[in-house]
Every structure is written in C-alpha cells, then in structure tokens.
Amino acid sequence: MTSTPTTVQCLLTLPPRAAAEFRAPEGQSNCQWIVTTDPEGQSVGSGGATAHVLVEAWRRLGAGQSFGDWLRSSRKLIINGGGEHRALPAYAASGKPLIPISVMRWARGQRLDQTLLDLLLPDCLKILGQAPDSLPVMVVSGDVLLRLPAQLPKLPVADVLGLGLWQTPERAHGFGVFITTRQRPNDLSQFLQKPAAAQLRALPNDQIYLVDTGAWLFSAQAIEVLLERCGWVAQQGAFAGGRVQACGLYRDFGPALGAHPSVQNPLINRLSCAVVPLPGADIYRFSSSQEMIESVSRMQSVELDETKLGLMGAKRHPDQYIQNTQFDYLLSREQNQALWLENSHVPATWELASNHVVTGAPANQWPLKLEAGACLDFVPVGETDYCVRAYGIRDTFSGTVEAATTLWFDWPLADWFRARGISLEKAGLVAGLDIQDAPLFPVLAAKAMDPQFLHWLFAARPAANAGFSALWQSSRRLSARQLITEINWRRHTEQRAKLRNGCLLPMLRNYRYSVFFKLDLESTARLFATGDQPLPKLDMDAGDGQEPLQQVHDQMFRAAVLRHRGTADWEQYESKAFALLQEMIVRDAQLSPVLPHSNVQEDQIVWGRSPVRLDLAGGWTDTPPYCLEYGGKVLNMAVDLNSQPPIQVFGKLGAEPALVLRSIDLGVEQRIHTYEELDTYARPGSEFALAKAALALAGFLPRFHATGGAPSLKDQLLEQFGGGIEVSMLSAVPKGSGLGTSSILAATLLATLSDLCGLNWDRNVLFIRTLALEQMLTTGGGWQDQAGAIFRGIKLVETGPGLSQKPTLRWLPPHLFEREYANKTVLLYYTGITRLAKNILQEIVRGIFLNSPSHLRIIGEIGLNAELTYQAIQQCDYNDLTACIRRSWTLNQRLDSGTNPPEVQRILTPVEDYLAATKLLGAGGGGFLLMFAKDEEAARRIQKTLTAQPPNPRARFVQLSLSDTGLQITRS
C-alpha cells in the first residue's frame, strides 16, 4: 500500500466580520477551509456550533453526497471560535482564534503576524493525522492552545476519544475532567464539567482523573448522535424548525458519556468512550483578558536554557507584551506588570500601571494616566470614528444591568453610573437588559478625544464633571454585541499592519538581542518588501555570543526581500548564503591540514570498497544547515548489491609526476599536472570534480597542506611520492539511484587516499571530511550517505547541534533484514527512473535557511520517526516497522511533492494490494524503490507482476544483503 498526504477540511467558526474577512493561515496547503458564524440570534453552545458548522460545510462541499457519506469521505477539523467572547472584549470582534500572539523567544519559524490559530493548527493536524481511520472528526475549542509532546501515544478506537492531562486538583478546577478507573485507565467512567478541587480529592481510591484538553475525536456515528441531539432530522436533511438546538459539548454532551454518566440520555449513553493521557503536554487558555496574559507568559518561559536563547538571556520573561505597537513609554519590570499593548500608539506622555489590555489606540500625544486594572479598546467605526470601550481586566460582561452581581470595572455596574451622576434610566438601561446589550461605549472622533474624558471613563473615584456626564449621555453609544458587527475591519487591520511593519527595521538593527533571525524569514521578507526602507548594513562580525549561522540567515533574508521586490540581483545574496555555509563547514578541514606522503610499496595497490546505504527514516535531518542548528537523526543500513560492494576505488603509485584519474564504469581518464588544474573541482562541468576535491582535502592543494605544499604539484609529487598517483574508481550503481553513491564514492576515495598517503583518518574523520567535500562541490548534501556506508549494518546515527558534526551510533539487530526477510518480503527494485537531488536539495535548504515553519515542522517529525523506526527494529516488529516506513514516505512527500512522481506511482499501482509499505530511497523521485510486502506470497506476486510488465527496459529487482563490514580498505 502507498501512503500520500491527504487534505483536511478545516471548519472554523468566527464572529461575522472576522469570518467575512478571513484569510487561510500560511503554510497549510493541505487544508481546505470553510469559515462561518454561529447561527444569528441564537446561543447554541459548542455542541450546537459544531453541528451548525458541519451542516454548513456539507451544504457547500457535499456535491450531492448524503451527509453521512460526506462525513466519512475525509478528515475534518472543527475549531469553535464563534460566540461573544465576553471575558475577552479586546478580541470579541475578531474571535479568540485570531488573537495576535507574540513570537516565542525560544522558537524558530514563527511570524510577526501570527495568531492563536497559527499556533493551534499544526498540533491539531498532527493529532488528526495519527488518529484511527474510524475517528475522522476532531473538535477543539478556539480559545485553548494545546502544546503536544514530541511523540503521541497510540490513539485507541472509540466513538468519542478525549485527550487528557495529569494535573493537580487546584489546576483542574475550571476545566472539564475525565474520570476513569485504575484498572481500566483508558475507559471513560464519567465526565465532570468544572468540578471543585475538593470533589476531585474526594474520589474513591480506585478512580483517577485527567483534565480535558478540549480536543475530542469523534466517529461518524458519534457526530450523527451529536447532530440528532441538536435537532437534526436526517430524513429531511435539516434541523427541526430550521434552528439548531442549543447543546454544550462539555456542559451537556460530555456528562452523558461514559460507563457511569451523570446525565441520562439513551442516544448519547450508548456511545463508546476512551481517554488518552498526553504525558509532557500542556494547555494554555485564552478565555479571558487575564488568562491571555498569563498563558503567553507561561509559553514564553517554556525554555530557559541560555544556550538556546542566545543573547536574549534566560531570565523569566516579564509579562509585558507589546505587539504591532509604536511604543515610546519607558517600562519598569517592577511597576508595570501584566501588560498587553497591541495595535496601538503608546507615547511617552502616557503613564502605565499594571494589569492593562490596550488595543487599537490611534496616534496621539495624550497625557493619559491608566489606573491599575484599567483596559482600553479603541474600535474603528465608520471611516473616521472610534468606539471607546473602557473596562476592567477581570470583567466578564455577564448578568443584567440592575443586578448587584453584574460587574463593570470589578464593581457593580450601577455604582459606575452613581459615581458619575447618571441614572440607569437616563442611560436607557432597563431592568432585565443583559450587559452585553447595554450601550455603554461612546463613539468619538479621534480628534475630539479628551484624555481627561478617557480617564473619567475608568477612574475609580472620578471627579464630578457634568460636562463629561453630558458628553457620555449625548454621544452615540454601542453595546458589546453591536461592536462585533460595527467594527470597520479594514481600518482595524490596516493600522495593525502599518504598526507591525514599522517594527521590522528596529528589530533587524537590534538583531543581536531580538528574535529577528529566528522568525519565519520568508514571511518577514514579504512584510519588509511592501515598504521602501533600504536594508541596513549590519556588523555581523563584532561581539561575542553571536550564533554562527546568523550571517547565513541574514544573506538569505536579504535575497528574499529583493526577490519579493523584483530586484534583479537577489540571487547573488542567496549564492552568498550558500557560500558562507560551505566556508563554515570546509574551514574545519583547512584548519586541520595534512601532510601526505607515500605509505605503500611501489607495486602495491590500495583497494577501497563500500556498500551503499538504504535510508529508512530521518533523511533531511542530516542536511546543513538543519543539522548544524538542531542536530541530525537518521536510521539507515549498509547493503551490498547482488552480493558485492558496488563502490570501489583502486589507488597506486605511478611513474609520471601527475595525478591520473580513471572512471572504470564511464571509461574516461584525466591527467592533472598542476595545482591550477586540480583547483577546478567547484567549476560547473568539471570532469572528475569529486576526485579533485578528495585529492585537495588529502593535501594536494597548498591550502589543505600542513606546510603549504611545494612550489608546484609536480615538485610535491616527486618529493613525497617519487612520481605520481593513479586512482581508478568504479560505481556499479546508476547515477541518480537514490543510494547515496556520490557521497559514498567520496568517502571511499578519501579512505583509499588516507591509506595510500599515510593520513590515518578513521571513520569519524572520513564522516566529517566527506561532508566538507560535498560542500566544496557546491552540491550541498548531508552526512547520512557516507555514514550509512562506512559504518556497517543497521544503525541510528545521531549528531548534536554545532558546526562540528560528530556521529553517535546505536546499532540494531539485523533480524528483519536477514535471510528470512531480505529478498523474500523486503524487496529492492530499480525503477529505471533517475532524478538528481541537487535542485530538490537547494529548494529545501532555502526553506531551512529562511526558518520556514512547514519545513522545520516536517523535518522535526522526520527526526522523531527515525526514533520510532529504531524502536520497531529493536523490537523486531515487522508491522511497526512498515508503519514507520509508510510515515517516512508520507513525510517525504509533504516536504517535496515531487518525491512521488506519476511515473513511480504507475509502478506501484498494479502491486498496491500486496504492499505493507514502500519508500523511494534518497531525496529524489526516482532510482531505487524499497518495498515491504505483506507476506512472502504477496512478495512473489509483486515480483511476478513487475517482472512480467516492467515500466521500462532498465527496471529490475536487485538482490540486497546486509553488509557486516561497511567500508573496507585492503592492500595487494
């Protein structure tokens, strides 16, 4: 069977204006978006919102399918972000999923314009992608961010699957809670909505609990039950009475689940339920103003390791968040705590205290003093005016206007009016009116805003001012509910974009102490390119503590800005970025020069030979610059083909003082007499480029020689070797095979020269020198090819971050690739199709240079899959191994869609039913194909089918056998 990336239908609910203006998040090309609002004039709850958005999506996308058929046709992610958001007024109009979130100082690949949705989406898609096929629908709350562990546990099959966290009773209060038993910890006993801490502490000894993350997975049957609970009549294809019945997913539906439900509902009670704990995960809530600040503070301090934070340091991040803001006020860590200032102008004339949320403030020079806990929201209305919403940071805007429990600025709403000499009647507020519908917020022209009036709005003890009272009463006023629809979205977003873009140049100039070069640089370059500011010259050499690859990121960022501006010379900056990377890697070889000398008898031949490598998982993590910044992790195996090591090199002394290079398989020869002729390895079209680079590294160019070499190559050869050197090479594998032949030939050649010239390079040195050689050739590439061949057998090869890549190896038992399986259920097939990896490599390396979040995320998953593959082979579990190989194939296709070209898919289609997993080897979309059959009989059918009907005259099966030696060097 083959595995290809699938499109997920993302169903999102937002407030009306935000839904109308929604733009899909960047870097999620495998998502199909449907955005709608909750039913107008109804409070339907999260369950009702889920039912509503599903029906809306079906009507738009169903294309004549029944609801049930459409539901089962693809995976669906539902993010509930509609509702009124009463406790978070600043983002009630946009919806909580679109809250702007500051860049985490420890993260790479985040955007300055990112939202909660951008951070929420990848982990939701990861969960949905690993869920059983019987759970095609995932529902999450749009105001909760779930941070997943690196590895998800296996997700069981049930009608409803909840994901939980271990938490203290005190932290669990305010959340939904799954109750299970110690004997059956994955089977739901009961769901409690926001139980008290004392209730959890009083649970019987045989019961345990998990906090609900708000992320639930549903079978199609469970979704149909939910819809029926919300009034859906399947035969009519509509809700009874044309309206969704209110249903809280966590308030109403959840308590009816489990073996001992607290709510009896036969329809829901019959559904099977399971719970899975997520060890090491965490959740961050954004349901109120205070929670928003607290959650981002917790997120910023996830990583405190100074070695990962650079010059920003590892002190706990102050809870002061200034985004998309022109900010001139001098902050104090001690006096200004819990601040959220976004999309605003905050001049030096303001005076801040603590616990403020300020959004939308227009350009001003007001002498404005904010009291502790006061928040201001300036909502653009019409073409010139602003609705000024003043409120307290703990306000929840719930209750009727006359009730003593209905609070505004944390005191009874009636007290606010009383303190300002205004009666509820004069304000037009009648008993029973919900505060959400109360017209409390005046609409003013920006020029008419008086800072003293603004202060009067939130002052705890306002001075009597009949003029301000009259102004408030005579002004047009809007309610919180009206603001959601009255906002001028264009003005709102234009101000935010202008302010955000104004931050770019200061951040770039202050790159040493900012997160600039950790950002998604492609996205940042697009933002920068919209302005006309020139790129500043940066002193990238001065100072200590600078990350070594910052110069590379800088050059690639400049190239991206100029590319987006349509400037013709952008490519020279990109070329410089690649050149800088090459210099850094090659520099180690130049700093460790060698002294070659004759180490053989005149009639001896040094014979080097190597197997090829088959990469099972982890490829791309070994590629600079990724491995230099994150470390690499690759699982591969060394194999001989048709019982022979296919890469061979012969070296011997020659009478003529020249370097004689021969290719046995190509039938060509070249003689090199001068340093100048040798120093052409990096030129396009250079014959024997690989061999020339190897000889250079072996000390036959002065810059790699311990003493600087001789006056000429001829003199060096005569002095140290009494003549010349003859090297013959054989690669019995087609070019573009995907088996790493060029790097393996390079490593074999370096090993042969090391023995011939007395250099004493061990396998670890060969590993590093081959990596340098690949960079010298400007083809780039990683280290897994040479590691796969020079080290024997099956192994997990790992390196840590840093310019000096030193491999650590963990060998594995060979059982799954020995005689019982090799060539019986595990088949190696040459497709006859070649695709060279250089262009693929350059495109993906560009993405890594630019901190592309999708590239970094996928390569991170590729590294994790290498660890999972290691575990499967260690346990000799063929089924788990094939699952890992399928995941490798899927991840490779997500990184580069050309990995599985139509020509290859045409080979796989006739034998698809017999395959447990398959994977093209290497980075390209051709070459060798590794196939894992379901069993021996299936393997025979595969061989029979493809032998009888080969896709081209070159295609063929090749016998593989594990190499228990790896690289071998012998002498005649």
Side-chain angles (χ1 to χ4, degrees):
M1 60 179 293
T2 58
S3 179
T4 56
T6 56
T7 297
V8 175
Q9 293 176 342
C10 296
L11 316 181
L12 172 66
T13 61
L14 290 173
R17 287 296 173 90
E21 301 293 334
F22 177 78
R23 296 291 180 272
E26 291 185 22
Q28 299 294 344
S29 58
N30 61 325
C31 292
Q32 182 182 21
W33 287 90
I34 292 292
V35 183
T36 186
T37 61
D38 290 346
E40 187 176 356
Q42 286 184 260
S43 179
V44 296
S46 55
T50 298
H52 174 73
V53 72
L54 275 165
V55 170
E56 284 294 303
W58 167 57
R59 287 173 177 161
R60 296 189 204 180
L61 302 174
Q65 292 176 294
S66 69
F67 179 81
D69 289 343
W70 171 79
L71 187 64
R72 293 169 174 81
S73 66
S74 67
R75 297 195 173 236
K76 294 165 176 63
L77 172 63
I78 299 168
I79 304 170
N80 285 318
E84 297 174 337
H85 309 299
R86 296 189 182 209
L88 188 58
Y91 299 103
S94 63
K96 293 173 186 174
L98 300 188
I99 297 171
I101 302 294
S102 58
V103 172
M104 301 298 115
R105 58 185 178 158
W106 45 263
R108 285 188 183 272
Q110 295 192 344
R111 302 197 321 268
L112 290 173
D113 60 348
Q114 70 188 7
T115 65
L116 181 59
L117 178 63
D118 290 301
L119 301 183
L120 173 72
L121 192 59
D123 279 351
C124 290
L125 294 174
K126 180 177 180 179
I127 294 169
L128 194 55
Q130 295 190 32
D133 291 341
S134 60
L135 294 170
V137 179
M138 180 176 177
V139 180
V140 297
S141 174
D143 63 358
V144 174
L145 178 63
L146 176 61
R147 183 168 62 86
L148 293 179
Q151 183 177 338
L152 285 177
K154 188 173 182 179
L155 302 181
V157 173
D159 286 318
V160 180
L161 175 62
L163 305 177
L165 302 179
W166 302 111
Q167 292 289 356
T168 63
E170 290 72 22
R171 181 112 191 262
H173 174 64
F175 290 85
V177 171
F178 300 110
I179 307 295
T180 70
T181 64
R182 296 182 185 276
Q183 293 76 24
R184 302 178 67 87
N186 294 122
D187 293 346
L188 180 66
S189 176
Q190 190 179 49
F191 180 84
L192 303 178
Q193 177 65 343
K194 299 182 179 179
Q199 184 179 356
L200 295 176
R201 281 194 290 267
L203 288 173
N205 289 336
D206 68 335
Q207 290 188 340
I208 56 178
Y209 69 90
L210 290 164
V211 165
D212 177 23
T213 62
W216 291 14
L217 290 152
F218 291 82
S219 69
Q221 180 185 358
I223 287 294
E224 289 165 352
V225 168
L226 174 63
L227 261 68
E228 190 173 343
R229 166 62 180 81
C230 295
W232 179 252
V233 182
Q235 294 83 354
Q236 299 175 8
F239 291 102
R243 291 169 64 87
V244 180
Q245 292 180 19
C247 172
L249 196 60
Y250 315 106
R251 183 190 67 240
D252 303 316
F253 194 84
L257 295 171
H260 304 286
S262 55
V263 172
Q264 295 303 314
N265 183 313
L267 193 65
I268 303 173
N269 295 158
R270 70 170 187 256
L271 296 173
S272 61
C273 309
V275 183
V276 174
L278 299 175
D282 206 348
I283 47 176
Y284 306 90
R285 293 178 64 171
F286 292 80
S287 59
S288 70
S289 300
Q290 285 183 303
E291 282 189 336
M292 176 176 68
I293 297 173
E294 291 166 1
S295 289
V296 174
S297 292
R298 286 177 53 224
M299 291 161 63
Q300 285 286 2
S301 296
V302 161
E303 179 59 72
L304 296 176
D305 184 343
E306 287 199 42
T307 64
K308 298 177 182 177
L309 295 173
L311 296 181
M312 288 176 289
K315 294 179 181 178
R316 182 176 176 84
H317 195 283
D319 53 354
Q320 301 166 338
Y321 300 102
I322 303 165
Q323 301 176 74
N324 313 317
T325 291
Q326 182 178 315
F327 190 82
D328 299 316
Y329 180 77
L330 183 61
L331 282 173
S332 163
R333 278 180 180 250
E334 292 73 29
Q335 297 175 14
N336 305 128
Q337 297 182 16
L339 303 183
W340 183 280
L341 310 170
E342 196 268 325
N343 192 15
S344 293
H345 295 260
V346 180
T349 52
W350 284 31
E351 186 175 338
L352 303 177
S354 295
N355 293 297
H356 303 314
V357 174
V358 178
T359 55
N364 71 90
Q365 289 296 321
W366 302 326
L368 180 64
K369 180 179 179 179
L370 289 182
E371 297 180 3
C375 302
L376 284 173
D377 185 17
F378 298 83
V379 181
V381 174
E383 291 301 319
T384 57
D385 296 342
Y386 290 88
C387 182
V388 182
R389 174 164 43 190
Y391 59 97
I393 197 165
R394 286 185 289 271
D395 289 351
T396 60
F397 287 95
S398 58
T400 57
V401 294
E402 79 282 0
T405 54
T406 301
L407 305 181
W408 193 18
F409 295 100
D410 213 23
W411 64 78
L413 180 140
D415 289 356
W416 186 92
F417 288 97
R418 192 176 299 112
R420 289 158 179 78
I422 305 172
S423 68
L424 292 178
E425 291 75 20
K426 286 185 178 180
L429 306 181
V430 298
L433 181 67
D434 191 315
I435 187 175
Q436 186 77 355
D437 295 307
L440 302 177
F441 312 116
V443 178
L444 305 169
K447 293 181 179 179
M449 287 187 200
D450 183 338
Q452 295 182 44
F453 175 66
L454 297 178
H455 185 267
W456 177 86
L457 289 173
F458 57 74
R461 294 183 176 83
N465 191 315
F468 288 164
S469 297
L471 174 61
W472 186 89
Q473 292 179 77
S474 62
S475 295
R476 180 193 176 207
R477 300 191 309 277
L478 299 176
S479 68
R481 192 183 305 280
Q482 288 172 311
L483 269 177
I484 292 175
T485 56
E486 288 274 345
I487 183 174
N488 185 318
W489 193 263
R490 176 185 54 79
R491 288 177 58 203
H492 172 73
T493 54
E494 282 180 355
Q495 174 171 301
R496 176 178 286 153
K498 183 176 180 181
L499 288 168
R500 179 174 55 241
N501 291 354
C503 300
L504 292 172
L505 194 56
M507 282 186 69
L508 177 55
R509 286 178 171 149
N510 191 42
Y511 74 93
R512 292 180 187 278
Y513 301 96
S514 76
V515 296
F516 192 90
F517 287 117
K518 290 184 177 180
L519 295 172
D520 174 352
L521 293 175
E522 180 70 29
S523 172
T524 307
R526 277 200 300 273
L527 295 177
F528 199 99
T530 60
D532 57 1
Q533 298 177 102
L535 286 158
K537 184 177 180 180
L538 301 178
D539 181 5
M540 302 293 286
D541 298 320
D544 296 324
Q546 184 171 261
E547 296 182 28
L549 289 175
Q550 257 176 340
Q551 293 182 60
V552 180
H553 288 299
D554 174 55
Q555 292 299 313
M556 192 61 82
F557 171 72
R558 291 169 187 271
V561 171
L562 298 177
R563 171 163 44 85
H564 287 298
R565 285 178 174 172
T567 305
D569 61 347
W570 67 268
E571 288 178 316
Q572 72 179 26
Y573 289 93
E574 186 167 294
S575 296
K576 186 173 181 182
F578 281 95
L580 281 169
L581 178 66
Q582 293 158 10
E583 288 171 17
M584 289 177 185
I585 295 173
V586 174
R587 188 180 302 148
D588 180 67
Q590 291 182 254
L591 293 175
S592 304
V594 293
L595 190 62
H597 61 278
S598 178
N599 192 41
V600 293
Q601 299 296 327
E602 63 178 23
D603 62 343
Q604 278 189 306
I605 296 176
V606 177
W607 180 22
R609 54 207 179 276
S610 290
V612 288
R613 69 96 188 97
L614 308 186
D615 60 302
L616 302 184
W620 290 113
T621 67
D622 64 305
T623 304
Y626 186 89
C627 62
L628 307 184
E629 294 186 310
Y630 301 92
K633 185 178 293 189
V634 177
L635 194 144
N636 61 27
M637 51 196 286
V639 300
D640 292 332
L641 303 182
N642 295 329
S643 302
Q644 294 291 331
I647 308 298
Q648 304 199 19
V649 175
F650 305 89
K652 69 184 189 71
L653 301 179
E656 180 188 0
L659 300 173
V660 181
L661 307 177
R662 299 185 182 93
S663 171
I664 297 172
D665 49 298
L666 298 178
V668 293
E669 177 184 306
Q670 186 174 11
R671 294 174 182 266
I672 298 170
H673 299 88
T674 67
Y675 288 138
E676 291 75 20
E677 290 174 345
L678 183 62
D679 200 4
T680 59
Y681 54 78
R683 294 180 189 173
S686 174
E687 276 192 307
F688 290 101
L690 186 148
K692 292 177 184 177
L695 286 160
L697 282 171
F700 291 96
L701 275 183
R703 60 180 177 272
F704 296 100
H705 193 282
T707 64
S712 68
L713 177 61
K714 179 180 179 180
D715 292 335
Q716 180 180 343
L717 289 170
L718 287 171
E719 180 180 337
Q720 296 296 334
F721 295 89
I725 295 175
E726 298 182 13
V727 176
S728 300
M729 297 166 286
L730 169 66
S731 176
V733 182
K735 192 174 183 180
S737 65
L739 302 184
T741 51
S742 62
S743 296
I744 297 168
L745 178 60
T748 311
L749 181 53
L750 287 171
T752 303
L753 291 171
S754 170
D755 190 78
L756 182 73
C757 303
L759 303 178
N760 298 314
W761 288 339
D762 63 18
R763 293 173 197 253
N764 288 331
V765 174
L766 291 172
F767 172 95
I768 295 167
R769 293 253 163 174
T770 306
L771 181 62
L773 186 149
E774 291 280 4
Q775 297 297 325
M776 291 165 63
L777 295 178
T778 73
T779 54
W783 46 251
Q784 80 135 319
D785 295 343
Q786 62 264 32
I790 63 179
F791 297 110
R792 64 176 174 79
I794 310 169
K795 62 272 177 188
L796 183 68
V797 190
E798 297 176 87
T799 63
L803 287 176
S804 180
Q805 291 285 287
K806 297 180 180 179
T808 300
L809 288 92
R810 287 188 273 167
W811 270 275
L812 285 158
H815 175 67
L816 293 180
F817 295 93
E818 286 187 318
R819 287 186 296 274
E820 284 185 49
Y821 289 91
N823 310 306
K824 292 183 179 179
T825 55
V826 180
L827 307 175
L828 186 61
Y829 185 71
Y830 180 58
T831 64
I833 303 164
T834 58
R835 180 179 181 223
L836 300 183
K838 181 174 181 180
N839 291 338
I840 312 164
L841 178 70
Q842 190 168 15
E843 187 62 35
I844 291 174
V845 169
R846 177 189 291 121
I848 300 171
F849 276 139
L850 292 170
N851 298 327
S852 161
S854 60
H855 284 79
L856 297 182
R857 191 180 307 118
I858 294 168
I859 298 175
E861 290 184 48
I862 286 172
L864 174 61
N865 191 50
E867 187 70 42
L868 297 176
T869 310
Y870 173 87
Q871 294 171 14
I873 298 176
Q874 189 178 53
Q875 295 166 9
C876 294
D877 191 319
Y878 187 77
N879 290 333
D880 278 0
L881 172 60
T882 55
C884 290
I885 298 299
R886 290 195 300 271
R887 195 176 303 119
S888 278
W889 184 228
T890 298
L891 289 168
N892 284 357
Q893 291 176 76
R894 281 174 54 194
L895 192 63
D896 171 30
S897 59
T899 296
N900 185 12
E903 297 90 338
V904 171
Q905 188 57 49
R906 282 195 288 271
I907 297 173
L908 294 172
T909 300
V911 297
E912 200 163 31
D913 291 342
Y914 310 128
L915 287 167
T918 189
K919 180 184 182 298
L920 273 173
L921 299 165
F928 278 84
L929 185 66
L930 189 61
M931 295 186 278
F932 293 78
K934 292 178 178 178
D935 51 41
E936 285 193 36
E937 176 57 31
R940 282 192 286 271
R941 290 176 180 271
I942 292 168
Q943 291 173 307
K944 182 178 179 180
T945 301
L946 294 181
T947 301
Q949 297 178 325
N952 56 67
R954 298 177 301 280
R956 59 191 179 274
F957 285 95
V958 176
Q959 296 286 298
L960 67 91
S961 55
L962 275 175
S963 170
D964 57 5
T965 60
L967 168 71
Q968 299 175 75
I969 299 291
T970 56
R971 296 183 177 209
S972 63

